[in-house]
Amino acid sequence: MPLDKKNHNNNYYYNNNNNNNNNNNYFQTLRFSYKRLFRTTYPLLILFTILVFFFSYKECFSNPLELKCSIEDYDIIEDSQDFPIQNEKFLTYLPHSQFHNQFIELKNAIVLAYLTNRTLIVPSILQTEHKVLSISHSPLYYLNNQLINNTNIKKDRLLCDIKYSDHCSPEYEAYDNFELINWEEIIDFSWIKNEIKIIHRGYDFSIEGLFNICNIPIKETNNTNNNNNYNITLQGLLEDNNDVYVISNDNKYYYRFFDTENSNNSYILSKYETPYLISDLRKREEKLIHVDTLFGSTRIDYRNKNVIKWRIDMLRSLKLSHPTLLDVSNNIINELGGFGNFLGAHVRTADGRFKHNLENIIDQVIEKLKKYQKISNQTINSNNIKNLSLNDCKLLNKKIIFIATDSSNPHVTLSKIFSTFSCVFTINDFDDFVNPLMKISYTFDKNTKMSKFFYPLLDLLIISNGMDVVVTYSSTFSGFAKYYHDVLVFERESLKKKINNNNITET
């Protein structure tokens, strides 16, 4: 019998409504159950999260220096090559003095690592207020202890807001000026890394940290007792260890390295006292060669033509690479007229023999500047010299001079230069251009800006882009600026030759 369609539809809607009511009751009951479950478990979830966090990072609260949980990138800079391989041998040294002295050490270390086929462990750049916290050359164990002490005090002071220590007192404020900088933050190592393996030592000068990099076990030493200080312990760890070969002497200029053996065993030592053959170092079986200092522009004697050529290429590759620093320097160089259209000079004034001999240094610089200006003493009347603005100097086609100096008040300290030449400028005349550098902080200490570190490098970049560099005799800064200028000239001439050769080929 066929179904009554109308009754069938009515029954369908009736049954459907009943089902919907039942479903609503079911979901209401279910929602109530979830709410009650949520109220019960939510506090437990919060408690569980807190406990997991605490136990995962409890070391941060007990000793914040043990982990990098308090300060990002605190103890070491990551390096893709920081793991030892089988039979790998290492070379390292200790940095000291100011930046350009440390740069000389680095360059010598790169050569030795290359010629001995060793991985170079590079210490960070030391940056301090030289007059407040000096780190000059000293015997190996004393210098290493000083670096460890400075680093540990600085680390303690960085954590004073988290964990108080005796180093947080005002008497240690001088250590706030102590900074460590990875070389690759400012220097291009790309060419070097194709030639030798580099490991950055990071923010740790401990022997334990060094041995960990080299995979050298720390052994008990007979060179320690209850009365020995840390220096003696350090000496024992290094010298009583078959895995370590130490080259050290109290005299900074004691040893000189030679790339070629002399059959007569006669070597030109100059101001040094004893020769070291690099070929002998290459044969050393110890896992680590630790040198106290590699400072000295003539530390290595070069006779091998292949080595000389390689070293030239290496030196040309080590260029400043910090992008903001380069942008700022290029803007100022363009204001001065561009590459080769102004004259650069360096006058060191503030410390040591330079301070005592300042009057003679200024006179020497003036005489050299006159040669470029093609003027004589007879044509100069200091009373008639008027210092012009940069725009006026350009309009009048005057020779522009840029002075790099460590003087805090150059218009006073170098007044004789300003009264001799009308178009003399320093970095103080370009404050608006320098502002981007004021915003950059140290990686080691993010609370401190790098401007004091950048200023000398900015000076160097500017004067090296001039037509020439008038130097302060025996200044390492002047020497580097002069060399950097020569590198820039070489690059430009090489580029011109390449372009000319391409044009000849095309025609």
Side-chain angles (χ1 to χ4, degrees), residues 352-369:
R353 64 183 183 276
F354 302 100
K355 184 176 182 180
H356 296 301
N357 198 34
L358 182 57
E359 188 174 344
N360 288 333
I361 290 172
I362 291 174
D363 287 341
Q364 290 170 6
V365 169
I366 288 174
E367 289 304 312
K368 293 174 184 175
L369 289 173

Side-chain angles (χ1 to χ4, degrees), residues 260-415:
T260 303
E261 186 174 355
N262 189 319
S263 57
N264 298 324
N265 203 29
S266 176
Y267 298 96
I268 300 173
L269 294 173
S270 186
K271 60 184 175 183
Y272 301 90
E273 294 185 20
T274 191
Y276 269 82
L277 288 176
I278 296 176
S279 58
D280 289 342
L281 292 180
R282 192 184 301 117
K283 299 172 186 175
R284 302 292 316 186
E285 292 297 327
E286 292 87 353
K287 202 164 193 178
L288 171 67
I289 294 178
H290 197 310
V291 188
D292 56 356
T293 178
L294 286 172
F295 173 70
S297 299
T298 57
R299 173 73 67 179
I300 303 175
D301 181 81
Y302 299 96
R303 304 286 170 169
N304 187 304
K305 291 182 179 179
N306 292 330
V307 174
I308 292 172
K309 181 182 182 306
W310 184 90
R311 177 176 176 267
I312 292 172
D313 291 339
M314 180 272 292
L315 294 175
R316 286 172 178 162
S317 76
L318 289 173
K319 294 179 62 181
L320 292 166
S321 60
H322 193 285
T324 307
L325 178 62
L326 294 178
D327 286 345
V328 170
S329 65
N330 286 334
N331 289 337
I332 295 174
I333 290 163
N334 290 334
E335 279 295 302
L336 292 167
F339 181 86
N341 291 319
F342 63 96
L343 185 59
H346 171 234
V347 185
R348 186 167 173 178
T349 69
D351 60 347
R353 64 183 183 276
F354 302 100
K355 184 176 182 180
H356 296 301
N357 198 34
L358 182 57
E359 188 174 344
N360 288 333
I361 290 172
I362 291 174
D363 287 341
Q364 290 170 6
V365 169
I366 288 174
E367 289 304 312
K368 293 174 184 175
L369 289 173
K370 286 178 181 177
K371 293 178 181 178
Y372 286 96
Q373 299 282 56
K374 296 180 181 180
I375 54 178
S376 63
N377 292 329
Q378 287 75 22
T379 60
I380 293 179
N381 185 342
S382 297
N383 295 326
N384 296 330
I385 292 295
K386 178 183 178 182
N387 294 127
L388 303 175
S389 68
L390 183 56
N391 286 334
D392 287 342
C393 291
K394 292 177 181 178
L395 290 172
L396 296 172
N397 201 26
K398 294 278 189 179
K399 186 70 71 179
I400 296 170
I401 300 171
F402 184 90
I403 302 285
T405 181
D406 54 356
S407 171
S408 57
N409 192 354
H411 276 271
V412 174
T413 309
L414 309 180
S415 59

Side-chain angles (χ1 to χ4, degrees), residues 174-224:
Y175 292 88
D176 292 340
N177 296 308
F178 178 74
E179 302 291 349
L180 295 170
I181 306 164
N182 183 328
W183 279 99
E184 288 196 70
E185 288 187 50
I186 62 165
I187 299 289
D188 182 3
F189 271 41
S190 57
W191 188 91
I192 300 296
K193 283 187 167 182
N194 288 325
E195 302 294 315
I196 63 173
K197 181 177 175 182
I198 294 283
I199 295 176
H200 293 286
R201 193 166 178 178
Y203 307 141
D204 180 13
F205 285 100
S206 71
I207 296 301
E208 293 84 355
L210 178 62
F211 280 13
N212 183 57
I213 293 173
C214 302
N215 200 22
I216 296 175
I218 296 178
K219 303 174 182 178
E220 293 293 329
T221 171
N222 296 325
N223 201 10
T224 59

